[in-house]
Amino acid sequence: MAKKRIVVLYGGRADEHSISCVSTAGVLNAWNNDKFEAIPIGITKDGHWVYGGTDPRTFKLDGAHMPTVEITPESRPVVLNIGQGRDGFLIGEHEGFTTPGASEDLESLGHIDAVFPVLHGPYGEDGTVQGLLEMMGVPYVGCGVFASAACMDKHFTKTLLKAAGIPVSPGITLDTRSYDAPSGFKANGAALLDAVRKAGLEYPLFVKPSRAGSSFGVTKVEEESADALAAAVFEASHHDWRVLVETGITAREIECAVFAPKPGETPRPAWPGEIVLDHAAVEDQFYDYDSKYTDASASHVEVPAKLPEELLRKVQQTAVRAFEAVDGAGLSRVDTFVKPDGDVLVNEINTMPGFTPISMYPKAWEASGIAYPDLIEALIEGVLD
């Protein structure tokens, strides 16, 4: 039986570019080569689609080096012919990177059975690539256009969840496009404080870009200060003009992996897990970018989280409800807050959660009975004809 040919997209234009590279290394190193032929296509930070060059299986993430998709002498540009659908993945000569039209003769990558977009953040996890693949008629792993777009934008995620009767963390949304950086942000400090007071938000506050991930641009504001709040909003605005200001909730952050590889299938939740910070002596620390990816000693994963089983089940039920409310498909990680009184609030939904060696999603399923290679295989098989 011929192997199914699967394009694996990685890299991308988002801040999470390097995380995507390492996630892809994890996926490809756990790949079932007997069933699937992997065709890695990288996307550079400036948007070039690249075939060949550095093998993504070699990517690692550490404090000294952040892997990126680079154009090497062996690389060739990928050109898409939308009308040819699954046969529309073409490659040109290397000169095509610098001289448009340099390659008149394009070579086909052959028939493509599906795409696994291991892309995090904007221009990959936000419905843009999903829409492109829909237009080509190419099956792909993960959430569709609507769910991807809605969950990429934390503001609209909360809007959808609230409409479905699912509790979310209190907060306000700011449009920073009219601010002149950086002086304009500082000048608006008093107005920002007033907006926080009117909304009844309590300190500490978390200020975050609405459409970003991996804790990029997130700042914790400990106490009422116009300058500190303005600086936090300014930092978040580097990543998105829409900025959320949310109450810092006294709660445990519990994450639940949801799995529904086949269309129409009832979503399955894994045992909820918790990221436990190992630097407890630092009172103001939160689960930032370094804790997630570059400092393996900063935290560890506990699955299942150390909570009563009844509460774990409640998190699972909430995660599935949230997944269904946004029309999720394939996979997602639903991040929740579990309060001391047992209330469960949804913080956000990640439609392409990290697959790095220390990521929650694969660890949660491993603890729930599905090994990482089997997880990847099921996700791919779920979208094949």
Side-chain angles (χ1 to χ4, degrees):
M1 187 176 187
K3 295 181 183 180
K4 295 294 186 179
R5 306 183 73 247
I6 312 299
V7 164
V8 181
L9 285 177
Y10 64 97
R13 295 169 57 189
D15 291 330
E16 296 94 329
H17 178 103
S18 294
I19 310 307
S20 169
C21 290
V22 181
S23 290
T24 299
V27 169
L28 291 178
N29 284 314
W31 195 261
N32 186 336
N33 291 299
D34 293 329
K35 283 190 175 182
F36 310 121
E37 178 186 351
I39 304 170
I41 295 178
I43 304 175
T44 66
K45 287 187 174 182
D46 58 1
H48 287 289
W49 287 41
V50 179
Y51 177 75
T54 304
D55 185 347
R57 294 171 181 83
T58 65
F59 288 143
K60 296 180 180 179
L61 192 65
D62 56 51
H65 176 67
M66 303 293 286
T68 57
V69 177
E70 303 291 344
I71 296 172
T72 70
E74 298 77 28
S75 300
R76 298 175 67 180
V78 177
V79 179
L80 301 180
N81 186 319
I82 306 298
Q84 290 185 354
R86 302 187 197 191
D87 299 307
F89 291 80
L90 314 172
I91 52 175
E93 298 299 327
H94 180 83
E95 293 75 14
F97 286 116
T98 55
T99 308
S103 299
E104 295 184 0
D105 297 323
L106 297 174
E107 178 184 344
S108 174
L109 276 174
H111 185 78
I112 302 302
D113 292 292
V115 172
F116 196 151
V118 190
L119 296 165
H120 306 311
Y123 307 107
E125 196 181 352
D126 62 351
T128 49
V129 164
Q130 289 76 14
L132 173 62
L133 296 173
E134 292 277 359
M135 291 180 66
M136 295 181 70
V138 179
Y140 57 91
V141 171
C143 289
V145 175
F146 175 78
S148 299
C151 293
M152 187 72 248
D153 192 318
K154 298 176 182 66
H155 168 78
F156 286 108
T157 304
K158 294 173 72 170
T159 300
L160 286 170
L161 295 178
K162 284 192 288 186
I166 300 171
V168 298
S169 55
I172 58 175
T173 302
L174 306 173
D175 182 339
T176 65
R177 287 176 292 184
S178 62
Y179 295 4
D180 294 324
S183 59
F185 285 82
K186 188 171 183 178
N188 280 278
L192 292 172
L193 277 184
D194 188 52
V196 167
R197 293 192 192 106
K198 286 182 178 178
L201 303 184
E202 298 179 359
Y203 289 84
L205 303 174
F206 283 91
V207 181
K208 61 183 74 171
S210 188
R211 291 165 289 195
S214 299
S215 297
F216 283 105
V218 179
T219 303
K220 185 178 182 181
V221 179
E222 294 283 359
E223 55 188 24
E224 186 170 295
S225 165
D227 287 347
L229 182 57
V233 173
F234 180 49
E235 173 62 26
S237 75
H238 291 154
H239 303 271
D240 188 9
W241 57 262
R242 192 176 2 252
V243 173
L244 271 61
V245 182
E246 297 178 340
T247 287
I249 298 173
T250 300
R252 291 168 64 179
E253 297 183 35
I254 307 297
E255 303 176 357
C256 187
V258 180
F259 184 57
K262 294 182 180 180
E265 172 177 55
T266 300
R268 288 179 280 166
W271 281 116
E274 183 174 21
I275 303 293
V276 178
L277 295 178
D278 295 324
H279 298 321
V282 183
E283 293 182 359
D284 64 348
Q285 185 173 4
F286 65 97
Y287 190 42
D288 60 6
Y289 178 88
D290 288 337
S291 301
K292 286 181 177 180
Y293 301 112
T294 65
D295 184 0
S297 68
S299 61
H300 67 276
V301 173
E302 288 184 354
V303 183
K306 293 179 180 178
L307 289 170
E309 183 173 340
E310 181 181 357
L311 196 46
L312 291 174
R313 297 291 185 190
K314 185 175 181 180
V315 171
Q316 288 180 317
Q317 292 166 3
T318 301
V320 169
R321 285 181 61 205
F323 185 82
E324 293 177 329
V326 299
D327 196 25
L331 74 163
S332 288
R333 193 191 72 233
V334 180
D335 297 347
T336 71
F337 292 126
V338 176
K339 299 173 68 175
D341 61 5
D343 284 348
V344 177
L345 287 70
V346 174
N347 181 29
E348 61 180 296
I349 302 173
N350 291 272
T351 56
M352 184 52 68
F355 276 90
T356 70
I358 59 173
S359 293
M360 173 66 78
Y361 194 88
K363 285 182 174 291
W365 279 112
E366 184 176 10
S368 302
I370 303 179
Y372 188 31
D374 296 335
L375 192 69
I376 295 166
E377 184 175 332
L379 286 168
I380 296 170
E381 288 187 334
V383 301
L384 293 173
D385 295 335

